[in-house]
Amino acid sequence: MNQVIELFGWEHIHTIEVLKPEEILMEISELEPTMVPAFLLGVDKVKINSQIILINKNEVVTIATYYSVEGSILGYAVIYKGDIAYEKRI
């Protein structure tokens, strides 16, 4: 979470609310192109564990962790306003 706050340079954070996590199995072709991290190129299907974070009750950030169908972690991304703001291959 600290990386997300530093990434956006947010100051004066009063509340951080973690909303319900979600885990889905998805075809990459079903994702919006702006929401596909570069490390998923060549991958057809992934498991996505996403966590929605609400900051100061008005900024919504999604932290998505991507896993292969077999269960090994591929990487994670921070999604803000429908676009990938940060990604890291593991």
Side-chain angles (χ1 to χ4, degrees):
M1 192 66 225
N2 287 339
Q3 288 177 328
V4 172
I5 293 168
E6 288 176 18
L7 177 68
F8 295 109
W10 285 324
E11 296 178 5
H12 310 293
I13 294 177
H14 301 287
T15 62
I16 297 175
E17 185 178 350
V18 179
L19 305 178
K20 180 180 168 189
E22 182 178 52
E23 188 171 313
I24 55 173
L25 179 63
M26 183 170 259
E27 300 276 340
I28 296 298
S29 61
E30 296 176 50
L31 292 170
E32 292 292 325
T34 59
M35 296 178 72
V36 179
F39 60 80
L40 292 181
L41 293 176
V43 176
D44 295 324
K45 189 182 282 189
V46 292
K47 292 179 188 176
I48 304 171
N49 184 331
S50 65
Q51 187 75 55
I52 297 173
I53 312 291
L54 186 60
I55 298 176
N56 288 343
K57 300 197 184 289
N58 64 351
E59 296 289 353
V60 178
V61 176
T62 302
I63 301 174
T65 307
Y66 300 87
Y67 297 87
S68 68
V69 176
E70 294 80 25
S72 61
I73 190 168
L74 301 171
Y76 68 92
V78 176
I79 301 167
Y80 180 64
K81 295 187 178 182
D83 291 324
I84 293 180
Y86 178 81
E87 63 181 71
K88 181 169 182 165
R89 178 184 209 119
I90 303 291

Short mmCIF file of all heavy atoms in Angstrom, two decimals, residues 1-10 55 61 63 76 78 85-86 88:
data_model
loop_
_atom_site.label_atom_id
_atom_site.label_comp_id
_atom_site.label_asym_id
_atom_site.label_seq_id
_atom_site.Cartn_x
_atom_site.Cartn_y
_atom_site.Cartn_z
N MET A 1 0.82 -1.18 0.00
CA MET A 1 0.00 0.00 0.00
C MET A 1 0.86 1.25 0.00
O MET A 1 0.54 2.23 -0.66
CB MET A 1 -0.92 -0.05 1.23
CG MET A 1 -2.00 0.96 1.21
SD MET A 1 -3.15 0.63 -0.13
CE MET A 1 -3.34 2.24 -0.77
N ASN A 2 1.97 1.22 0.72
CA ASN A 2 2.87 2.38 0.74
C ASN A 2 3.38 2.71 -0.65
O ASN A 2 3.51 3.88 -0.99
CB ASN A 2 4.04 2.15 1.69
CG ASN A 2 3.63 2.21 3.14
OD1 ASN A 2 2.60 2.79 3.47
ND2 ASN A 2 4.41 1.59 4.00
N GLN A 3 3.66 1.68 -1.46
CA GLN A 3 4.11 1.92 -2.83
C GLN A 3 3.06 2.65 -3.64
O GLN A 3 3.37 3.51 -4.44
CB GLN A 3 4.47 0.60 -3.52
CG GLN A 3 5.73 -0.02 -3.01
CD GLN A 3 6.00 -1.35 -3.68
OE1 GLN A 3 5.07 -2.07 -4.04
NE2 GLN A 3 7.26 -1.67 -3.86
N VAL A 4 1.80 2.30 -3.44
CA VAL A 4 0.70 2.96 -4.16
C VAL A 4 0.64 4.42 -3.78
O VAL A 4 0.53 5.30 -4.64
CB VAL A 4 -0.65 2.26 -3.88
CG1 VAL A 4 -1.80 3.05 -4.46
CG2 VAL A 4 -0.64 0.85 -4.43
N ILE A 5 0.72 4.71 -2.50
CA ILE A 5 0.66 6.10 -2.02
C ILE A 5 1.84 6.90 -2.59
O ILE A 5 1.67 8.01 -3.08
CB ILE A 5 0.63 6.14 -0.49
CG1 ILE A 5 -0.70 5.54 0.00
CG2 ILE A 5 0.82 7.56 0.04
CD1 ILE A 5 -0.76 5.25 1.47
N GLU A 6 3.04 6.31 -2.56
CA GLU A 6 4.21 6.98 -3.11
C GLU A 6 4.08 7.17 -4.62
O GLU A 6 4.48 8.20 -5.16
CB GLU A 6 5.47 6.19 -2.78
CG GLU A 6 5.86 6.26 -1.32
CD GLU A 6 7.06 5.38 -1.00
OE1 GLU A 6 7.79 4.99 -1.95
OE2 GLU A 6 7.25 5.08 0.18
N LEU A 7 3.54 6.17 -5.31
CA LEU A 7 3.40 6.22 -6.76
C LEU A 7 2.59 7.44 -7.20
O LEU A 7 2.95 8.13 -8.14
CB LEU A 7 2.72 4.93 -7.26
CG LEU A 7 2.41 4.83 -8.74
CD1 LEU A 7 3.70 4.76 -9.55
CD2 LEU A 7 1.55 3.60 -9.01
N PHE A 8 1.51 7.70 -6.52
CA PHE A 8 0.64 8.81 -6.90
C PHE A 8 0.99 10.11 -6.19
O PHE A 8 0.42 11.15 -6.51
CB PHE A 8 -0.83 8.44 -6.64
CG PHE A 8 -1.29 7.31 -7.52
CD1 PHE A 8 -1.54 6.06 -6.98
CD2 PHE A 8 -1.45 7.50 -8.88
CE1 PHE A 8 -1.95 5.02 -7.79
CE2 PHE A 8 -1.85 6.45 -9.70
CZ PHE A 8 -2.11 5.21 -9.15
N GLY A 9 1.90 10.07 -5.24
CA GLY A 9 2.29 11.28 -4.53
C GLY A 9 1.17 11.87 -3.68
O GLY A 9 1.14 13.07 -3.45
N TRP A 10 0.25 11.02 -3.25
CA TRP A 10 -0.87 11.52 -2.46
C TRP A 10 -0.39 11.95 -1.08
O TRP A 10 0.41 11.30 -0.45
CB TRP A 10 -1.94 10.45 -2.31
CG TRP A 10 -2.76 10.24 -3.53
CD1 TRP A 10 -3.17 11.19 -4.41
CD2 TRP A 10 -3.27 9.01 -4.01
NE1 TRP A 10 -3.90 10.62 -5.42
CE2 TRP A 10 -3.99 9.29 -5.20
CE3 TRP A 10 -3.20 7.70 -3.56
CZ2 TRP A 10 -4.62 8.31 -5.93
CZ3 TRP A 10 -3.84 6.72 -4.29
CH2 TRP A 10 -4.54 7.02 -5.46
N ILE A 55 -9.39 5.39 -1.25
CA ILE A 55 -8.56 6.33 -0.50
C ILE A 55 -9.31 7.65 -0.35
O ILE A 55 -9.77 8.22 -1.35
CB ILE A 55 -7.20 6.53 -1.19
CG1 ILE A 55 -6.48 5.17 -1.21
CG2 ILE A 55 -6.38 7.60 -0.48
CD1 ILE A 55 -5.18 5.16 -1.93
N VAL A 61 -8.39 2.66 -6.35
CA VAL A 61 -7.22 2.01 -6.92
C VAL A 61 -7.43 0.51 -6.81
O VAL A 61 -7.92 0.02 -5.79
CB VAL A 61 -5.94 2.41 -6.14
CG1 VAL A 61 -4.73 1.67 -6.66
CG2 VAL A 61 -5.72 3.91 -6.19
N ILE A 63 -5.46 -3.13 -6.95
CA ILE A 63 -4.19 -3.85 -6.96
C ILE A 63 -4.52 -5.27 -7.41
O ILE A 63 -5.26 -5.98 -6.75
CB ILE A 63 -3.52 -3.84 -5.59
CG1 ILE A 63 -3.27 -2.39 -5.15
CG2 ILE A 63 -2.23 -4.64 -5.62
CD1 ILE A 63 -2.75 -2.24 -3.76
N TYR A 76 2.23 -8.33 -10.63
CA TYR A 76 1.10 -7.56 -10.13
C TYR A 76 1.06 -6.19 -10.82
O TYR A 76 2.05 -5.75 -11.42
CB TYR A 76 1.13 -7.42 -8.61
CG TYR A 76 2.24 -6.58 -8.05
CD1 TYR A 76 2.06 -5.22 -7.83
CD2 TYR A 76 3.47 -7.14 -7.73
CE1 TYR A 76 3.07 -4.44 -7.30
CE2 TYR A 76 4.49 -6.37 -7.21
CZ TYR A 76 4.28 -5.03 -6.99
OH TYR A 76 5.29 -4.26 -6.48
N VAL A 78 -0.93 -2.09 -10.55
CA VAL A 78 -1.79 -1.11 -9.89
C VAL A 78 -2.59 -0.45 -11.00
O VAL A 78 -2.02 0.08 -11.96
CB VAL A 78 -0.96 -0.06 -9.12
CG1 VAL A 78 -1.86 1.01 -8.54
CG2 VAL A 78 -0.13 -0.73 -8.04
N ALA A 85 -1.13 1.84 -13.91
CA ALA A 85 -0.25 2.91 -13.46
C ALA A 85 1.13 2.37 -13.09
O ALA A 85 2.12 3.09 -13.14
CB ALA A 85 -0.87 3.61 -12.25
N TYR A 86 1.18 1.09 -12.72
CA TYR A 86 2.45 0.47 -12.32
C TYR A 86 2.29 -1.03 -12.51
O TYR A 86 1.24 -1.58 -12.26
CB TYR A 86 2.75 0.78 -10.86
CG TYR A 86 4.01 0.13 -10.35
CD1 TYR A 86 5.26 0.69 -10.60
CD2 TYR A 86 3.96 -1.05 -9.62
CE1 TYR A 86 6.42 0.08 -10.15
CE2 TYR A 86 5.12 -1.66 -9.15
CZ TYR A 86 6.35 -1.08 -9.42
OH TYR A 86 7.49 -1.68 -8.97
N LYS A 88 4.69 -4.91 -12.23
CA LYS A 88 5.95 -5.58 -11.89
C LYS A 88 5.81 -7.07 -12.16
O LYS A 88 4.89 -7.72 -11.66
CB LYS A 88 6.30 -5.34 -10.43
CG LYS A 88 7.62 -5.99 -10.08
CD LYS A 88 8.13 -5.57 -8.75
CE LYS A 88 9.47 -6.25 -8.54
NZ LYS A 88 10.22 -5.68 -7.47
#
